[in-house]
Amino acid sequence: MSVRRELHTPSRTIMTPGPVEADPRVLRVMGTPVVGQFDPAFTNIMNETMAMLRELFQTENRWAYPIDGTSRAGIEAVLASVIEPGDSVLIPIYGRFGLLLTEIAERYGAKVLTMECEWGKVFDPEDIIQEIQQARPKIVAMVHGETSTGRIHPLREIGEACQAYDALFIVDAVATVGGCEIKVDDWKIDAAIGGTQKCLSVPSGMAPITYNDRVADIIAKRKKVERGIATQADSTRLSGNRPIISNYFDLSQLEDYWSERRLNHHTEATSMLYALREGVRLVLEEGLEERFERHRVHEQALQTGIKGMGLELFGDESCKMPVVTCVQIPEGIDGESVRNMLLTQFGIEIASSFGPLAGKIWRIGTMGYSCRKENVLFVLAGLEAVLLRHGAAIEAGKALQEVLHFYEETETKAVL
Amino acid sequence: MSVRRELHTPSRTIMTPGPVEADPRVLRVMGTPVVGQFDPAFTNIMNETMAMLRELFQTENRWAYPIDGTSRAGIEAVLASVIEPGDSVLIPIYGRFGLLLTEIAERYGAKVLTMECEWGKVFDPEDIIQEIQQARPKIVAMVHGETSTGRIHPLREIGEACQAYDALFIVDAVATVGGCEIKVDDWKIDAAIGGTQKCLSVPSGMAPITYNDRVADIIAKRKKVERGIATQADSTRLSGNRPIISNYFDLSQLEDYWSERRLNHHTEATSMLYALREGVRLVLEEGLEERFERHRVHEQALQTGIKGMGLELFGDESCKMPVVTCVQIPEGIDGESVRNMLLTQFGIEIASSFGPLAGKIWRIGTMGYSCRKENVLFVLAGLEAVLLRHGAAIEAGKALQEVLHFYEETETKAVL
């Protein structure tokens, strides 16, 4: 490369299920100068972030901190720290990210038991509970919101069953945290993993996790302090449990780093932590309920527009994820050609899907900072124009009229 | 937490061996808006970063890309992807980060053979070569620059021996890349891992790696595409090699993400990639040779000042790392009290050390953006004042006079 030009990115309206537009206030704090990892000013920021994460996850758990990696790093850290070879793990799969849980659990030696349902639906919680009763797994792992199919799963009854049958309940809340209700303590979730680049509107690169004492107890039994920083007291391991394979994802070491002991592990990703702290602060400032309601309003607006132009939604409406709307690609229309024209002509990004849904649906996100009126109006305007350009039988002009009417009504109600 | 105040950090002069001050131009690009991970504008940034990383590592390797995690994530990704249980790994240890290599290799099932030398020295390369000849390990892993002791290891002869005896040579260049010469191809290094938060002056949170075809061949034999995105062609694995345990650190999957196939793995850490690209761009713009020379000049200035005030350096001078200077804590002085006063009164951070050197030495970094004249002068001024305040037998005023003289001479020479 002879010319090394300065970084330049085009303007984009990002309406995918992530990564979405980062909040400009989050981007701004990323320019804050670095401070050292053991500087009291920095460890204070670590503690503040932990406190705010507890509020975000609606938990009293001691442990709530980020893994320095993308969302799947958080998932792997939890699974790798909990699963010992031979452990039984029940994974109800209703989309691609359930498959990812299976993949990771198997790599760490779990005996995985899966249940599968048609993509676009979720399970009857009773079926899962029955499976727990019969199989008595050590762990039940599942996805809260499946962006691949746009479905959200009820968790409360499953959490209660897990507690009753002494299984650990691990939940991938990557796509829901900060956008949809997730009550870690109330729902008896033992460990939850969130994502940054979706409803939190923080760039990808960190994964906030939280877990309770049931999980912490397992981790403690597998604890091993690394040579080079261990003291005499650390050198004897009392239990016969196998140490955690990964060093980077070893939550027992991360606890020593995120608590008073401040034992060096990695060097915390300074600027990403600034960003996460700001992203969560903005969520709490907006208010969890208010934020969830905002996501619901724009989801309704988007659906109104999609239906208004004559398109059909994909999937079972009763378990639709409020922050992702899946749209059937009309017969005879090349979905990728539509996405491409939206990007190159309008600078708007929407998503395709995976596996059995590839080429069949588009996925439109309404997440975090991207979830706002002008974005909803713009994606509908763009989609309508591009579909007309592709010869689709779309009713011109109706979508935006109906959505404007919806917003006017909603705003009137909000004033009353 | 009732008050969720805006992020605020104090002003700091960071003269540790990392994390150091990020270049303001790097911080600035972190505020660039997010673009989607498969947006051609973003995949172009990925490709540009790969090209620049090749220049940084002085390699023609196809594979040069970052792991989304801190430096040890890069180390673990390489070791986890290469090591199969039972593989023999020779690790010559001359400080804490050699121990970390041991720790990670053992966790992945390696039969680790170590050599140790006194902290503050390095090995005679001939001793390592002899060990390679005798033990014939599959892998030799070692640290290029040990920040814990401030030593740098000659690698060229060892690389040649590794090639001659068919061992893979894996080098932790976390603390040296961008500050000291590291010639991946010339020195026959099979895989190298760099760090961002040291000589590159990019915040912590990414680890650029590079590896050649010898490593890529091993990884290819262990390849496994995950369910949910695999096609028919992926489903049959031909070899009997064990798949890589970690999903997140599976370099065979990362290759599919960083190449034309663009198979979804994680969501690339957008803002950190912007930062890494800018940091490496600035290194190449300055010029590798010019940058290494700048580091040497300020190192000499710092040493002049340290000796000028009557302090002694720690360690074997012949293998001193140019970007870290280790200083003996004078008899009767509480090293942590000095560090604390430096931080709270002057806002200057220097480092202590680990293991056998804890309490015995301070470590002062001259890395990346922190490596500049005003920082060297300020750390010396602060250290002198704090030592006087602690009653140390220090000659007042002499350090800065000698360093100013040194800089004037150096600058005069540079003009000629």
Side-chain angles (χ1 to χ4, degrees):
Chain A
M1 180 177 305
S2 56
V3 179
R4 301 180 200 108
R5 65 184 178 92
E6 282 195 53
L7 184 74
H8 174 71
T9 60
S11 162
R12 293 289 190 240
T13 298
I14 312 185
M15 299 302 278
T16 66
V20 303
E21 299 167 22
D23 192 301
R25 291 168 292 180
V26 169
L27 292 177
R28 199 169 55 198
V29 301
M30 296 191 86
T32 307
V34 165
V35 291
Q37 63 174 331
F38 295 118
D39 191 317
F42 189 73
T43 52
N44 188 42
I45 290 169
M46 291 170 76
N47 290 341
E48 287 172 347
T49 306
M50 289 177 82
M52 291 189 208
L53 286 175
R54 286 184 198 106
E55 289 191 64
L56 177 71
F57 281 118
Q58 304 192 47
T59 182
E60 304 285 324
N61 286 343
R62 174 174 184 202
W63 300 113
Y65 57 87
I67 302 298
D68 286 4
T70 68
S71 307
R72 70 169 60 196
I75 295 170
E76 183 160 331
V78 170
L79 293 180
S81 292
V82 170
I83 295 172
E84 294 185 65
D87 280 352
S88 58
V89 182
L90 173 65
I91 304 177
I93 298 169
Y94 61 103
R96 181 202 160 182
F97 291 99
L99 290 171
L100 177 62
L101 294 174
T102 311
E103 172 86 16
I104 297 173
E106 281 176 351
R107 284 176 180 240
Y108 283 92
K111 278 190 343 216
V112 175
L113 180 67
T114 60
M115 303 171 63
E116 302 207 29
C117 78
E118 191 188 328
W119 288 27
K121 297 183 189 296
V122 300
F123 295 90
D124 180 341
E126 279 307 317
D127 291 342
I128 297 176
I129 292 166
Q130 207 173 357
E131 195 63 38
I132 295 171
Q133 286 173 331
Q134 283 170 9
R136 301 301 290 268
K138 179 175 166 187
I139 296 160
V140 177
M142 64 187 295
V143 175
H144 185 210
E146 253 298 350
T147 54
S148 65
T149 65
R151 298 308 107 183
I152 191 165
H153 211 291
L155 299 178
R156 186 191 292 271
E157 303 94 318
I158 301 167
E160 279 164 9
C162 283
Q163 197 164 77
Y165 295 99
D166 203 27
L168 288 177
F169 192 30
I170 298 177
V171 173
D172 166 354
V174 167
T176 49
V177 73
C180 313
E181 186 87 271
I182 167 123
K183 291 171 175 276
V184 166
D185 287 0
D186 268 18
W187 297 354
K188 301 187 169 39
I189 295 168
D190 294 290
I193 303 100
T196 54
Q197 78 278 14
K198 297 179 188 276
C199 300
L200 294 182
S201 277
V202 169
S204 172
M206 267 197 170
I209 64 170
T210 186
Y211 52 89
N212 61 19
D213 288 345
R214 296 174 78 197
V215 172
D217 288 348
I218 291 178
I219 293 166
K221 288 187 187 138
R222 307 182 71 188
K223 182 168 179 148
K224 180 171 176 292
V225 178
E226 70 190 41
R227 279 178 74 194
I229 53 171
T231 62
Q232 287 287 331
D234 293 316
S235 61
T236 43
R237 294 185 60 251
L238 292 173
S239 81
N241 296 63
R242 296 209 204 183
I244 294 158
I245 291 175
S246 174
N247 173 290
Y248 193 70
F249 293 136
D250 183 336
L251 298 184
S252 75
Q253 292 196 71
L254 285 163
E255 288 178 5
D256 280 341
Y257 182 67
W258 281 88
S259 60
E260 300 67 33
R261 194 169 178 193
R262 296 288 173 212
L263 205 55
N264 184 248
H265 180 251
H266 61 284
T267 298
E268 184 57 14
T270 319
S271 307
M272 278 306 301
L273 188 69
Y274 293 168
L276 177 64
R277 182 192 181 284
E278 183 69 3
V280 178
R281 191 180 77 85
L282 293 174
V283 170
L284 300 177
E285 194 180 83
E286 183 174 358
L288 288 176
E289 280 313 317
E290 292 78 2
R291 192 173 176 97
F292 303 151
E293 179 59 21
R294 168 165 66 82
H295 281 85
R296 278 189 292 265
V297 165
H298 294 296
E299 177 213 19
Q300 284 176 47
L302 178 66
Q303 290 190 78
T304 300
I306 292 292
K307 290 177 188 165
M309 73 177 83
L311 293 171
E312 278 176 39
L313 299 180
F314 164 81
D316 180 350
E317 203 179 339
S318 70
C319 53
K320 184 186 174 300
M321 205 177 163
V323 295
V324 183
T325 296
C326 296
V327 181
Q328 307 260 19
I329 299 173
E331 198 65 36
I333 297 294
D334 177 347
E336 288 307 283
S337 171
V338 168
R339 289 210 315 127
N340 189 48
M341 192 183 282
L342 264 176
L343 188 73
T344 53
Q345 300 294 352
F346 291 82
I348 296 170
E349 194 187 7
I350 66 170
S352 54
S353 193
F354 306 96
L357 299 179
K360 299 207 173 124
I361 64 169
W362 294 302
R363 298 176 302 142
I364 305 178
T366 40
M367 291 179 160
Y369 186 73
S370 281
C371 177
R372 56 191 205 277
K373 187 162 60 175
E374 64 268 31
N375 275 22
V376 170
L377 291 169
F378 191 37
V379 73
L380 288 167
L383 187 59
E384 178 182 302
V386 170
L387 282 171
L388 287 174
R389 204 83 185 153
H390 278 73
I394 290 297
E395 189 161 355
K398 196 171 156 216
L400 289 195
Q401 291 306 314
E402 291 192 0
V403 175
L404 286 169
H405 178 73
F406 169 84
Y407 275 127
E408 283 163 7
E409 290 281 300
T410 308
E411 282 151 18
T412 308
K413 265 187 274 172
V415 169
L416 291 177
Chain B
M1 178 174 306
S2 56
V3 180
R4 302 182 200 107
R5 65 184 176 91
E6 281 196 53
L7 183 73
H8 174 70
T9 60
S11 162
R12 292 291 191 239
T13 298
I14 311 184
M15 298 301 278
T16 65
V20 302
E21 299 166 23
D23 192 301
R25 291 168 291 180
V26 168
L27 293 177
R28 197 170 56 197
V29 302
M30 296 189 86
T32 306
V34 165
V35 292
Q37 64 173 332
F38 295 118
D39 191 316
F42 189 73
T43 53
N44 189 41
I45 290 169
M46 292 170 77
N47 290 341
E48 287 172 348
T49 306
M50 290 178 82
M52 291 190 211
L53 285 175
R54 287 183 199 109
E55 288 191 64
L56 177 72
F57 281 119
Q58 304 191 45
T59 183
E60 304 284 326
N61 286 342
R62 174 175 184 199
W63 300 113
Y65 57 87
I67 301 298
D68 285 4
T70 69
S71 307
R72 72 168 60 197
I75 295 170
E76 182 160 332
V78 170
L79 293 179
S81 293
V82 169
I83 295 172
E84 293 184 66
D87 281 351
S88 57
V89 181
L90 173 65
I91 303 177
I93 298 168
Y94 61 103
R96 181 202 161 184
F97 292 98
L99 291 171
L100 177 61
L101 293 175
T102 311
E103 172 86 16
I104 297 172
E106 280 174 352
R107 283 175 180 240
Y108 282 92
K111 280 191 340 216
V112 174
L113 180 67
T114 60
M115 304 170 63
E116 301 208 29
C117 77
E118 192 187 328
W119 288 27
K121 298 184 188 297
V122 300
F123 295 91
D124 180 341
E126 278 308 315
D127 291 342
I128 297 176
I129 292 166
Q130 209 173 356
E131 196 63 38
I132 295 171
Q133 286 173 332
Q134 281 168 11
R136 303 301 291 268
K138 179 176 165 184
I139 295 161
V140 177
M142 65 185 297
V143 175
H144 184 211
E146 251 299 350
T147 54
S148 64
T149 66
R151 299 307 108 183
I152 191 165
H153 212 290
L155 299 178
R156 186 191 292 271
E157 303 94 318
I158 301 166
E160 278 164 8
C162 283
Q163 198 165 75
Y165 295 99
D166 203 27
L168 287 177
F169 191 30
I170 298 177
V171 172
D172 166 355
V174 166
T176 49
V177 74
C180 312
E181 185 87 88
I182 167 122
K183 289 171 175 277
V184 166
D185 288 0
D186 269 17
W187 298 354
K188 300 187 171 37
I189 296 167
D190 294 292
I193 304 101
T196 55
Q197 77 279 13
K198 297 178 188 275
C199 299
L200 294 183
S201 277
V202 169
S204 172
M206 266 197 171
I209 64 170
T210 186
Y211 53 88
N212 62 20
D213 288 345
R214 296 174 79 196
V215 172
D217 287 348
I218 291 177
I219 294 165
K221 288 186 187 139
R222 305 182 73 188
K223 181 167 179 148
K224 180 170 176 293
V225 178
E226 70 192 41
R227 277 178 75 196
I229 52 170
T231 61
Q232 287 287 333
D234 293 316
S235 60
T236 43
R237 293 185 58 251
L238 292 172
S239 80
N241 297 61
R242 294 208 206 187
I244 294 158
I245 291 174
S246 173
N247 173 290
Y248 193 70
F249 293 137
D250 183 336
L251 298 185
S252 76
Q253 292 195 72
L254 285 163
E255 289 178 5
D256 280 341
Y257 183 66
W258 281 89
S259 60
E260 299 66 33
R261 194 169 178 193
R262 297 285 174 216
L263 204 54
N264 185 247
H265 180 251
H266 61 285
T267 298
E268 185 56 14
T270 319
S271 307
M272 280 303 304
L273 187 69
Y274 293 168
L276 176 65
R277 182 192 181 284
E278 183 68 4
V280 178
R281 191 180 77 86
L282 293 174
V283 171
L284 300 177
E285 193 180 81
E286 183 175 359
L288 289 175
E289 281 313 317
E290 292 78 1
R291 191 171 176 98
F292 302 152
E293 179 59 21
R294 168 164 67 81
H295 281 86
R296 278 190 293 264
V297 165
H298 294 297
E299 177 214 20
Q300 283 176 49
L302 178 66
Q303 290 190 79
T304 300
I306 293 292
K307 290 178 188 165
M309 74 176 80
L311 293 172
E312 278 176 39
L313 299 181
F314 164 82
D316 181 350
E317 202 180 339
S318 70
C319 53
K320 184 185 173 302
M321 206 176 159
V323 296
V324 183
T325 296
C326 295
V327 181
Q328 306 260 17
I329 299 173
E331 199 66 34
I333 298 294
D334 178 347
E336 288 306 283
S337 172
V338 168
R339 288 209 315 127
N340 190 47
M341 191 182 283
L342 263 176
L343 188 72
T344 53
Q345 299 296 350
F346 292 82
I348 296 171
E349 193 188 6
I350 65 171
S352 55
S353 192
F354 306 97
L357 299 179
K360 299 206 173 127
I361 64 170
W362 295 302
R363 299 176 301 142
I364 305 178
T366 40
M367 290 177 161
Y369 186 73
S370 282
C371 177
R372 56 191 206 275
K373 189 161 59 173
E374 65 268 31
N375 274 23
V376 169
L377 291 168
F378 191 38
V379 74
L380 288 167
L383 186 60
E384 179 182 300
V386 170
L387 282 171
L388 288 172
R389 205 83 184 152
H390 279 75
I394 288 298
E395 188 160 355
K398 196 169 154 216
L400 289 195
Q401 292 306 313
E402 291 192 359
V403 175
L404 286 169
H405 178 73
F406 170 84
Y407 275 127
E408 284 163 7
E409 290 281 300
T410 309
E411 282 153 17
T412 308
K413 264 187 273 172
V415 169
L416 292 175

